[in-house]
Amino acid sequence: MLRIRRIFDDVLPANRETLEQVKEILRDRFSQVSEEEIEQLGAKLRNPFKQRFRPILFVAKTLRSRVKGFAMLLHEPEIGFCFLDWIATAGGRTGGGLGGALYDRVRREAVDLGAGELFFECLPDDAEKCPDEALLKENRARLRFYERYGARPIVNTGYELPVNPGDSCMPHLVYDALDAVKPLRRAFARKVVRAILERKYSGYCPAEYVEKVVASFREDPVALREFRYIKPQAVKTAVDDRSTEQIALIVNDRHQIHHVHERGYVESPVRVRSILAELDKSGLFARLKPRAFPDKNIHTVHDADFVSYLQHASEAVPEGKSLYPYVFPVRNKTRPPKEPSVLSGYYCIDTFTPINRNAYPAARRGVDCALTAAREILDGRRMAYALVRPPGHHAERRVFGGFCYFNNNAIAAQYLCAYGKVAILDIDYHHGNGQQEIFYRRPDVLTVSVHGHPKFAYPYFTGFEDERGEGEGEGFNLNLPLPENLDGERYRKALGKALHRIEEFFPQFLVVALGLDTAKGDPTGTWSLMAKDFEENGRLIGTLGLPTLVVQEGGYRTRTLGQNARNFFRGLVQGHLKAVGNRQEPKVRLHGVVFRCELQPQDPERIRRLAEITGFFTADEVEVAVELVNERLAKGAPSGYHFVMAEHYGRLAGYACYGPIACTASGYDIYWIAVHPDYQGKGLGRRILKETERLIRESSGTRIYVETSQRVQYASTRAFYEDCGYRLEAVLADFYAAGDGKVVYCKSLI
Ligand SMILES: [Zn+2]
């Protein structure tokens, strides 16, 4: 069995492994692609806007993670089209419908992105243009395949013109109108062709060639070749909508055994059944079985002593009985008593969360579910939902309570954070005191909670605004306590603040602690959120565009639970699709950036990492960048190299290196400006440049020079300097290579 999955970057080890396999297929199937281009694949995915095409990679994998085929789609958000760069199967196998499944997925994506048309190249299927017989056969099979979708080569244009004399076998440009029957307009086609030739073939097609081909699109609409292989009435243009990736759903299969029958104990098995009944109808989910994970994953979050207490206490309670704490160690937290009913107070925060025979096995299985969901995210799935009970967000490092035993969301977050920063967003009606306490001193997991104010809502003692984290973790906990009466609109104001903080944190993963007790009529809450509010909240959260793990927490009004959950996920998926198909990177105002000029001993390594991850510098250039830092560290100001380091919550977000130009009265050179991909498109480069100019002015500098290349790749760099008031001063033709001149910009400070 194969599944098709989108690979977003090469940050996760699973994705890196997948990318290596993709590269192998590329080398095998496309001998004309250069090794340099193949090696750039990961950087392109990480920094999608670098080449003004957003690459989207789909892979078809077996369950054992072998890549059997892939498709690389390029999305052009400004003009609004998609270009299918590569589609290939391992060993060139065309049988088994794998190529078809990948092409269906690509078409679906193009439609979801709002790109009305899809273009790609195909080698010719005419004997006179393609003398190689085996290749000709392959080309014919390919064009026949695409005709089934109505996609055909564009004709009567100069797209097949040889670039160099003697070039043969030039590809056709093929057009797929996707699910619509519409003519291809000339003006649009010209923009598309220009973008393809200038960006994709920037190093290959000279400017005159591009102009000639663009001008050769004379007919309006542009003509497509007649059907050659199949009858036009056999064409199926419909876009397959089953190919959208589903949310992994992992349900605690042992939750029913945990059933506390005491009156008023609203945390009951019917909750999961109510939610499931509605989810099953939605078609959004793919059910997966929970896998077993070892206890060590729990011990990273909960004290081993606490875990072992829960297990043994649970085993020791007679069948059908409940153990309730009734005294608590306010004065002496270090001396656990012996008597079982007294000892339970040592590990618990309230009097209504009992330990019984089934509490431990049910809660333990809930942890497996959360970890299975986290594993799915690490395997590259964009969304997973652990539908579990008992809930977990009130469980702290060494205490349980509030119907919670193990903190499922914190355990999952801890598991994920080995691969990147995690933000936990708790949208239960009650404060998420558990993960707050667990991550309170850590800057790598941001905890945010939107909840009823503790002056009237459980857990009463935590959840205040001034709890902001401690030590290293200061600033990485955000509480947004809200008033007793609240509707959806006012709720979303607070949610907006929460999401803003998360955006500024630049997490790799989002964990949502989903409480549905914010709903109107919930027996444990006081708010009045309606079904449509849950959809809207989901949509807002989805627009973060992050890999998202949702863990079920509270929610007790069984009549509306299912509908609200379904609406939440519907919104989440829509928001996410919109975010990943966004025309531009989100424009975020960056707060909390701090500049410094003094270098620190760890800066050479930090600058190396930054320069590498931008994907903009060659290996030699990275070495030079690091050398300059070392030079400055060794010799101080006499080295002639000065630095502006921009830090965001302790992380190097970007930097500039500059220095006085020898033998000039007051001229300065800016040698480098680099911005981490996470921070690009947020105005940081501009701020670093401003700060640099300020320092140069302070040192009585009057003129600043910057140099860059004439190549297309540097178009955005040149535009950046021009926008910042730099004037083109000189062009040294063919400086770096033939056709690649050096461009010198200058800004006068007086
Ligand atoms: Zn709750």
Side-chain angles (χ1 to χ4, degrees), residues 6 8 49 53-58 72-84 105-118 178-179 239 244 574 576-584:
R6 179 168 167 190
F8 284 81
F49 285 91
F53 272 129
R54 211 163 52 92
I56 299 169
L57 176 65
F58 294 107
M72 173 77 116
L73 185 66
L74 302 179
H75 177 220
E76 206 301 337
E78 281 160 32
I79 303 168
F81 71 96
C82 283
F83 183 81
L84 177 60
R105 183 67 190 87
V106 160
R107 297 179 92 234
R108 168 83 249 166
E109 187 70 17
V111 169
D112 284 345
L113 288 167
E117 22 272 298
L118 177 63
L178 300 171
D179 52 352
V239 172
T244 304
Q574 284 164 1
H576 189 270
L577 276 176
K578 196 169 156 223
V580 296
N582 226 349
R583 300 193 145 239
Q584 240 126 63

Side-chain angles (χ1 to χ4, degrees), residues 393-394 402-403 426 428-431 458 515-518 522 524 553-556:
H393 73 142
H394 294 306
F403 308 144
D426 192 318
D428 190 278
Y429 173 83
H430 306 95
H431 174 230
Y458 185 88
L516 299 165
D517 40 11
T518 48
D522 190 278
T524 70
E553 300 292 352
Y556 307 96

Side-chain angles (χ1 to χ4, degrees), residues 657-730:
C657 174
Y658 68 97
I661 306 173
C663 310
T664 65
S666 53
Y668 274 76
D669 250 335
I670 295 180
Y671 304 112
W672 309 81
I673 285 194
V675 174
H676 191 288
D678 280 358
Y679 296 89
Q680 288 172 9
K682 300 176 178 68
L684 183 63
R686 210 169 276 260
R687 284 168 67 185
I688 294 175
L689 185 60
K690 260 207 169 129
E691 177 66 9
T692 309
E693 290 170 2
R694 190 184 70 77
L695 291 163
I696 291 175
R697 204 176 268 127
E698 245 178 33
S699 318
S700 311
T702 56
R703 290 173 79 77
I704 304 177
Y705 294 88
V706 287
E707 295 169 359
T708 181
S709 148
Q710 230 180 354
R711 291 213 312 271
V712 174
Q713 287 95 309
Y714 291 88
S716 58
T717 311
R718 295 194 299 269
F720 168 73
Y721 285 115
E722 283 164 21
D723 276 4
C724 292
Y726 284 71
R727 217 181 48 237
L728 181 66
E729 194 83 352

Side-chain angles (χ1 to χ4, degrees), residues 465-500:
E465 248 168 330
D466 58 358
E467 296 157 12
R468 300 186 57 254
E470 265 174 22
E472 286 260 284
E474 192 176 347
F476 294 92
N477 183 68
L478 175 66
N479 285 331
L480 296 162
L482 300 176
E484 201 157 358
N485 295 308
L486 196 76
D487 60 13
E489 204 174 310
R490 286 172 67 203
Y491 179 84
R492 273 189 291 285
K493 288 215 173 91
L495 184 61
K497 277 188 205 162
L499 298 179
H500 184 73

